[in-house]
Amino acid sequence: MFIDYISLMLINLAAGLTLLASYVYFGLSSSNQKRWIPGFGVVGAIALVTGLHMIFTWPVIGSFNIAFGETTVLFGILFVGTSLTLAMGWELLALGIYGFFAGLVSLLIGFRIINLGLTQLPLLAGIGFILVGLGGIFSAPTLYLKENRFLRIIGAILLVVAALIFGFIVLTAYWVHLADFSTWKPLPR
């Protein structure tokens, strides 16, 4: 059976990027880190579950399972890790180092989506992945230099633009999916 929950993954990504941008701008130097735990935990859980299901079952056609599934697992584990790290009062820098490598993957996938013309909006989707990748690449320096307001503002802006791109893509996808699947019926058992 064909299952397409990329729209769920993308709205979760848009929400997570908005949360992360808010954290980078407002919360990184705040004394109350615990208020961010639920948001990171919820986004991370949804991303991890959907991403793992996608990479283990390949429910959609072609390389979309790699582009969306694997990056969603990386995104999800970083958010779950962030939630746990904030709950325990640990330092976030180690997650920033992991985020650097996740960012490299997202950057590469963004360029490849544009290059191969994948998705209905390859240029927009590719730019979204590239911006998320840049956010990941600069996560370690931003965490290390968390008092550098300029770096945090640039990071927050990149993340908000990526969230807006994925928000536009996913709202368009929901609009189209509701029409395309309006007459779909499961196979009889």
Side-chain angles (χ1 to χ4, degrees):
M1 173 169 79
F2 175 71
I3 302 170
D4 185 354
Y5 47 83
I6 291 175
S7 51
L8 171 63
M9 297 164 88
L10 289 178
I11 196 66
N12 188 59
L13 175 62
L17 291 171
T18 303
L19 174 70
L20 184 57
S22 300
Y23 179 74
V24 167
Y25 186 76
F26 297 110
L28 195 55
S29 60
S30 170
S31 60
N32 185 1
Q33 297 291 296
K34 298 214 183 266
R35 76 173 100 188
W36 301 94
I37 294 169
F40 284 115
V42 167
V43 170
I46 291 170
L48 199 54
V49 167
T50 57
L52 285 171
H53 184 267
M54 183 168 276
I55 65 172
F56 289 137
T57 63
W58 278 59
V60 294
I61 59 169
S63 58
F64 291 101
N65 298 287
I66 298 167
F68 292 100
E70 292 184 15
T71 56
T72 299
V73 169
L74 296 172
F75 181 74
I77 199 65
L78 278 166
F79 270 58
V80 167
T82 299
S83 183
L84 179 62
T85 298
L86 294 176
M88 301 303 289
W90 298 334
E91 179 62 42
L92 288 166
L93 186 58
L95 290 174
I97 294 167
Y98 186 88
F100 171 83
F101 291 98
L104 287 176
V105 170
S106 185
L107 190 70
L108 178 113
I109 287 175
F111 284 117
R112 197 64 171 145
I113 285 173
I114 294 168
N115 175 258
L116 294 173
L118 297 176
T119 78
Q120 295 293 321
L121 301 166
L123 182 61
L124 201 55
I127 291 170
F129 272 90
I130 290 166
L131 292 175
V132 171
L134 291 173
I137 288 168
F138 289 107
S139 60
T142 302
L143 288 168
Y144 185 73
L145 304 168
K146 63 182 163 189
E147 298 306 320
N148 184 325
R149 196 87 174 129
F150 177 75
L151 196 57
R152 288 175 41 202
I153 290 170
I154 296 300
I157 290 170
L158 284 175
L159 294 169
V160 166
V161 172
L164 289 171
I165 288 170
F166 285 117
F168 173 77
I169 290 170
V170 74
L171 292 176
T172 303
Y174 272 119
W175 186 264
V176 171
H177 288 178
L178 286 171
D180 289 351
F181 291 104
S182 65
T183 59
W184 183 86
K185 293 181 175 124
L187 295 174
R189 294 179 187 204

